[in-house]
Amino acid sequence: AETLRWARSADNLTMDPHSQNSGPTHVFNHQIYEPLIIRDVDGSLRPTLATEWGISEDDDTVWEFTLREGVVFHNGNDFTAEDVAFSIERAQKPTSNMKELVASIREVEVVDDHTVRFHTDGPDPILIDKLTNLFMMDREWAEENNATEPQNFDAGEEHFAARNANGTGPYVLQQRVPDSRNVATLFEDYWGRDEFPLDITEILYTPITAAPTRVAALLSGEVDFVQDVPVQDIARLEQTAGVRVTRGPENRTIFLGMNVGDDQITHGTAEGNPFASREVREAINMAVDREAIQQVVMRGESQPLGTLAPPFINGYQEWMGEYPEVDLDRALELMEEAGYGDGFQVTLHCPNDRYVNDEGICQAVVGMLGRIGITTSLESRSLSIHFPSISNLETDFYLLGWGVPTFDSQYVFDFLYHCRRDGKGSWNATRLCDDEIDAMIAEIAGEGDLDARNEKIAAVWERVQEGIYYIPIHVQTIARAMGDHLDIPVHPENDFWAKDVAVNR
Amino acid sequence: MTDAVLSVRNLVVEFPTRRGILRALDGISFDVGPGEILGVVGESGAGKSITGSAIIGLLDPPGRIAGGEIRLKGERIDNLPTERLNRIRGKRIGMVFQDPLTSLNPLFTVGQQLAETIQHHLRLGERESRQRAIDLLAEVGIPAPEARIDNYPHQFSGGMRQRVVIALALCAEPDFVIADEPTTALDVSVQAQVIQVFRRLCRERGTSAILITHDMGVIAEAADRVAVLYAGRIAEVGAVRDVLKRPLHPYTQGLMGSIPSLTGEGERLVQIPGAMPRLNAIPEGCAFNPRCPRVMDICRRERPPLIDADGACVTCWLYDERTEQPPAREAPAVGRPA
Amino acid sequence: MVGPAPADLVARREAASDSVVEVRGLVRDFDVSASWLHRTLSGEPRRVVKAVGGVSFDIRRGETLALVGESGSGKSTIAKMVVGLLPPTAGSIRIDGTDIWDPANAPKLRDLRRRFQMIFQDPFASLNPRWRVRDIIAEPLDVFGITRGRATRDRVGELLTTVKLTPEDGEKYPHQFSGGQRQRICIARALASEPEFLVCDEPTSALDVSVQAQILNLMRDLQDRLGLTYLFISHNLAVVRHMADRIGVLYLGGLAEVAPAKAMFRDPRHPYTRSLIDAIPDIDMTGRERTPITGEIPNPLDPPPGCTFHPRCPFARERCRREVPRAFAEASGALVACHGVEEGWVGQAPAGQKAV
Amino acid sequence: MIAFVLRRLAQATLVLLIVGFVSFSMFRFIGDPINNMMGQEATLEQRAELARQLGLDQPFPVQFARFIARAATGDFGVSYRLGRPVMDLILERLPATLELALVSALLAFFVGVSLGVYTAIRPRGLASRFVMTASLVGVSLPTFLIGIGLIYVFAVELGWLPSFGRGQTVQIGGWSTGFLTQSGLASLVLPAITLALYQMTLIMRLVRAEMMEVLRSDYIKFARARGLPERRVNFRHALKNTMVPVITITGLQLGSIIAFAIVTETVFQWPGVGLLFITSVQFVDVPVMAAYLMLIGLVFVVINLVVDLLYYAVDPRLRVEGARGH
Amino acid sequence: MDVREKLVQRLSRRIYAGWDSDLAHSFRSSPVTIIAALVALTIILAAIFAPWIAPQNPFDPRQLNLMDGFTPPGQENPFTGNTFLLGSDGQGRDVFSAILYGARVSLFVGFFAVLFSLVLGVTLGLIAGYVGGRADAVIMRIADVQLTFPVILVALLIFGVARGFLPPQHREAMAVYVLIVAIGLSDWVQYARTVRGATMVQKSREYVAAARLIGRSPFAIMSRHVLPNVTEPILVIATISLALAIIAEATLSFLGVGVPPTQPSLGTLIRFGQGFLFSGEWWILLFPSLTLLALALSVNLLGDWLREALNPRLR
Ligand SMILES: Nc1ncnc2c1ncn2[C@@H]1O[C@H](COP(=O)(O)OP(=O)(O)OP(=O)(O)O)[C@@H](O)[C@H]1O
Ligand SMILES: Nc1ncnc2c1ncn2[C@@H]1O[C@H](COP(=O)(O)OP(=O)(O)OP(=O)(O)O)[C@@H](O)[C@H]1O
Ligand SMILES: [Mg+2]
Ligand SMILES: [Mg+2]
């Protein structure tokens, strides 16, 4: 019996698998719930609850999945196609935070107990990529417990599924004390008992907000595995005997979002909305010294970037990643041209417990913008306030990171560039609402042919890169530290499955 | 005097303070014979209490005995270590303080406080101590002592409390008692009762005592001899009758004249001009010289020694043979103020 | 020195009746009951201290009336009521014919206030330690609008000289003075508004005898010079004897006897007065035995019925236990509240001889 | 005695009512409860309906009375952030905080009193001077720095003690205790010291000041003059008199330990109510804030009551004079 | 009278009794106090004159060069060639300048918080003590309730409330004032209680009766007579609570509810610095911590000395 004592900076927000589309929430839930497929460390797809999948040969708007047999939920119920249908429908409900991922699914057809078909609105060749975090729930359990709709997280709803879990995963939730303690133990009837090492029999997941305490906990041997290792401590940890550090780039870009759509900003004293002016945005883009951030704030643990697309994904092209030289004179000129020669004042909202040195990045940005006359006050807060405030459009200028679990550009477009409508654009707090762009995005969704699709993607990128709707900063490198009896590689999505971990004592 | 119960010689007490060393007592000498009650009078701040505290070794820190010696039945008791002192305190020297309200610990019953003292000094058992405590209370005139012994101090009246304090001071039958203004806090009518109890007990047990007070009436009534202190020095020591009726020292003379009398016809009181100097500003020579109506040159230069005159001792150059005008005892006739 | 009295003041003095102060049926109760809740639960009644119970006296112009009595007999309470610091429960106090506690007289009161002042027991506590002496003395001058600016300075200097201090002393703070000097500053302050009537509540009991003599002499001098009237309070009979023309003896809030000073010491009438005089320690070594009063002072919360002195009175009879004695005038001019004296069964024994 | 207790109870109730009022006002006026509960898409009718359900259309006093009535039964509503009944959240975390507070309080009290007595008896000794100076450093260092320092030295460099959390806990009924496991006890050490240090300093200085005052009093001088041995004078007479005021003030101080735990819990990631509260403040999670406020109020009132009774037991003057006297 | 009230009275009387002690002398004869005063004075002056002393304005983001980041004390930065006396932090802020400016914020908050609570507490205490009766009962009951909640808790609550009330764009600008009110509001009780006790003592003194005798109004008596006599305890409390307020501000900033990170106070600097506890950039944590300790300790020492010096019975 081996306990994995696992710590990171923030708690998972809820146990409800469809309520929050956020990394820390998914990572813990992955131990308890399972999607049809998962994305492996190398980026490939790995069968999980589905053993086979593919687009129907007859109809490119139909995806067919063969489900794994002999899978049971923690409550003993069998996992069947009914449950898949239920889970997808649940994820499409208005209170779901995963609805963009399944927006294209028109209908889920239960063929038999272990076969389902997803009918999409037009062809959706990358649908499979969107399902890697879409967890399967037990219909019966949800109905029994009045949990057929996802928890409305932003409204602070009391919800059974938020505190209890019934997945098919290798671990069963034993205890959840928000902010302090999550315990899960090995599920005896797990379908993969013989397939995986399953050396770890118990998971003890603790959020430790204070970075030094977190590192101290690892150094003193109180935890075995730490995520969100502060960059400044990597060197020290690497030199410590008995500690292993793994690192690698994450499939996630860090960027600044701006309110480009409204006529007037509310979190600042500017006349009108300076962000609505492309000149201003270009000036900002020129003023942000990405390399300095990389070197000092990130201590080299990042890769500066000029686009929202992480280099991992389909649709990324070299030219997009390039970013302008820092040119303050030109930037000032641009500000002048835009009519903001005297600058303006705005509040930058920033999380302080989500991304690597997020607060530090924001502070650095504040300084850099100061040089082109933009006075920025910084409000940094916990991700649990930051994220709702983004989805509620309560910010004009914010820092956000975006991972692309589908490894495809469309995911970025749907969430970050599409206007907030038709169940899309839910993380687009820029108020960007460009019918043309939306139409272009819609076309990608309907395109069955991959080459044609890629062309359309490139067109969108060209369009949005030109518009400078966001100020991309970098792709961050993530580091994990652990006792040397473990070897947990970095996953591009910062995912991790305890069932895969082999313990070498 | 070898038969003196207590003898004090050249006692000097000092307080190191922020502004230098303060001499609170400067060369005090006196004796107390067996069964004798010595009254100590003087103005506030003259050093009366310090004298008492010095004898029993309870000077408030940082006060210290800087010179002289104190002997109890011939045995030196200044500069004893605390454990030795503890065997003297209470057992051989009893002490009564001025304020009966604050002298008793409010959180213990009168009986507890009596019994613990008796137990400690006489090594009696609990029941005997208690019995003795009851007897003592009866002796000092507390009615129904069996009932009152378990009361707390605040349940007693002022006069009764002071009697309890006297009982406490006398419970180990000490050779010697120091009473520091034992009646100042009490009403006139009760004051008389307490003085009576005190005097009776001393007489009955043959205990010697020092009675510190600034009330001449109390001295007149209770003391055999009296010492007058002025600015930490002895002005005059003598039999009560002599000192009160025919004071020698000009200060004593003034003091006696300034007391309104019951028989006098409401005439002007004798008034000593000025006030007693602060201890850090005692003039050279005789401490009284700036206020003295009969001041001489020598008084401003030299400190007068303790001079035997007419059976009393006085520190005044007037009575020194070397001075030109040897005066006789005279009635208090310090000049009327201008 | 205090300047000559203004003409109108003199006129007023002449015009007014012989009494500066008339006190009639003065009563003061203090409610010291436990809380309402406590009383309700334990069924206790209200508890009231009758600090002063129906006291009447007059003070004639230029005279010194002394009040003596043991602690708690109500001396200070009377003093506070007389100067208007404490409202009486019943009775009236007239100063120059004006009832100072009658709300109708409130407008006149400001003017009246100038005419009476008080000297307190503790010279240490009665001067604001944070004020310079000159400001302390100038305060009444300012408040009553008597003088302004330079005139105030000069007047303060004068007053200081009057009490035998120097004008330069005005620059100092109270703590730089000795007790006797401080009491003199208090007197200077009291004199500032040129009062006619001074209430002195134990003005020397905090002082040493030698200093006491200075103050008592000063007070007498001032009286002679300014024609002041004193209500003099003390528990020291010798001091009272020295200062007073007439003496009132208080016992448990009631006047036992009021008599001319000499007469009282020569021939005390009330048994309590006798025992008080008996209890004075004999400094003159007349060989007189001191005879303390037996018993304790009764609890003012629960005073004995009838004559309050009866439990301690060697002459007490049945009537004393039942009936409260009323004051009656003796031939000698003394007012005595005692059944025994009235009925003649309290012996005429002179003080000093034990009368048991 | 009964009157005394009743009076105290009445006062306690008053205090709780005032605290309740503050909580309630917070509830009612900070943010819009309806917005918080319904999200933005709700229609006007839905809002009105919810307002009616919540009684928000009632007059203010009625709302307040209802709030108090519900609070009295432990119903503080649902946490905006965690979507669970606030009372459950608090009860879940209360054992952690109470155990930490208890250990700290005992530590602060016993060490504080002993040091206070020692420094009072030997005010000029070298050790006393050292302790006095050190104690000033103790109050001058923010708790969080002390916590970080302790973690760095004892957890990281020396590796003797755990740096965070409660360790292994054992569930006894509804109470999870860390007292019964070795890791639980080890985990307590650093946070308890951190939390106790400040209070300990205060208590020590208070005891010292009081004790020195008492040692100067006449009855102590008189006890010495009676020749009672030093130990008896110091530890029986002086200490008992010192404890009378010390009990009161110490009681209040210890009461605030629970509230002080906020910082310690943050530094040590101690899963108690303090940690819950600080997150709630960041979230403006009003129900939790309000409930925590009431909880602290209650703790204070209870401690105050106990202290008063203790006082009553120790000081005979109170017993005889009745509840209150002049 | 309530026993606790008696105690308060006694404490204040004890403090009061010291008005004529020789402050200057006791100051000169205590080397520790002199050092404390020097340290406190240096920090306070340095903070006040920070804009003239500090080589850099760390609150002005334009003056910061990110490339200066993490320069060890006294060493040259390899990119920019700049050196910093106490090193630079991760934002390229000169630690020395940041400390000066941070102390400025801390002291500003501390000073005004103390002033706020002082004015409030002294006024209420005077009224309670002098007027007595119902006013007293009401004020003291409120004080009881207030006492229930220690500084940090009250401050956090007020912060929470302010967050709920203030329009979002003003939160930043108001943070310092919210801090002042929050810390100040939680501290008035001490003043009120002490002043009330002292006032009750003073009220029974005869100089107050003398003032009443000549018809002075209660207001005049309170402000002209009583107030000057209760300044010592106020001074002592004010000194000690200045130290407390500075620490409270640091703690709040540490808990993340204080001043904005771009205008760090000492507490915020420490919060940043603690991230570098293990990484070798010790100066980012150490120097601000030392400054905070030195400031609080010296102010506390001064308060301690004042308390003893003003109490003649302790000497
Ligand atoms: N602890 C002390 N520190 C400094 N000086 C002291 C101390 N105790 C007493 N003194 C000084 O010693 C002198 C004598 O004091 P003492 O108490 O003996 O006077 P006293 O004659 O008893 O006066 P009182 O009649 O007021 O009791 C005083 O002037 C006082 O200033
Ligand atoms: N404010 C008060 N509240 C309750 N009782 C009071 C108050 N003031 C005085 N008393 C009571 O009234 C009685 C008379 O008090 P007063 O002060 O007049 O006595 P006194 O003769 O001046 O005594 P002393 O010689 O001690 O000054 C006492 O029993 C006292 O307890
Ligand atoms: Mg004395
Ligand atoms: Mg009186």
Side-chain angles (χ1 to χ4, degrees), chain B residues 17-35:
Chain B
T17 68
R18 290 169 188 163
R19 294 202 193 83
I21 288 174
L22 215 75
R23 226 164 229 226
L25 289 185
D26 194 353
I28 300 259
S29 307
F30 59 80
D31 290 312
V32 185

Side-chain angles (χ1 to χ4, degrees), chain B residues 15 17 22 24 42-51 60-62 98 180-181 212 214 279:
Chain B
F15 285 92
T17 68
L22 215 75
E43 280 176 73
S44 178
K48 306 183 296 290
S49 302
I50 299 286
T51 310
D60 282 332
Q98 165 180 359
D180 189 357
E181 315 217 16
I212 297 171
H214 53 243
L279 290 181

Side-chain angles (χ1 to χ4, degrees), chain A residues 223-378:
Chain A
V223 296
D224 306 308
F225 172 46
V226 167
Q227 278 182 286
D228 310 318
V229 174
V231 285
Q232 63 265 30
D233 292 330
I234 293 177
R236 151 105 192 217
L237 287 170
E238 278 178 336
Q239 285 159 17
T240 307
V243 172
R244 187 195 311 279
V245 179
T246 55
R247 34 184 178 160
E250 187 181 9
N251 181 11
R252 173 187 302 281
T253 42
I254 306 295
F255 53 87
L256 299 169
M258 296 159 290
N259 175 359
V260 301
D262 288 349
D263 295 334
Q264 173 67 50
I265 55 168
T266 49
H267 296 262
T269 54
E271 200 55 40
N273 181 357
F275 295 126
S277 143
R278 190 186 171 280
E279 283 82 16
V280 171
R281 304 201 295 265
E282 194 180 349
I284 296 176
N285 205 23
M286 271 180 194
V288 172
D289 187 345
R290 295 171 176 81
E291 281 161 18
I293 293 177
Q294 180 209 20
Q295 212 158 76
V296 181
V297 181
M298 303 302 287
R299 298 187 179 227
E301 301 289 329
S302 70
Q303 177 190 341
L305 205 64
T307 179
L308 256 50
F312 295 89
I313 69 168
N314 176 35
Y316 178 85
Q317 299 162 60
E318 282 295 316
W319 67 270
M320 290 159 47
E322 284 160 19
Y323 45 89
E325 284 278 304
V326 178
D327 184 347
L328 293 181
D329 296 334
R330 175 75 193 119
L332 282 165
E333 265 173 51
L334 284 166
M335 291 287 287
E336 194 78 44
E337 281 167 31
Y340 290 98
D342 297 335
F344 60 92
Q345 194 261 322
V346 69
T347 301
L348 172 61
H349 291 106
C350 190
N352 57 17
D353 55 359
R354 177 62 187 99
Y355 311 113
V356 178
N357 283 355
D358 35 18
E359 197 181 3
I361 297 169
C362 288
Q363 280 198 58
V365 166
V366 168
M368 292 160 180
L369 296 186
R371 290 198 200 102
I372 58 165
I374 303 176
T375 313
T376 315
S377 21
L378 177 59

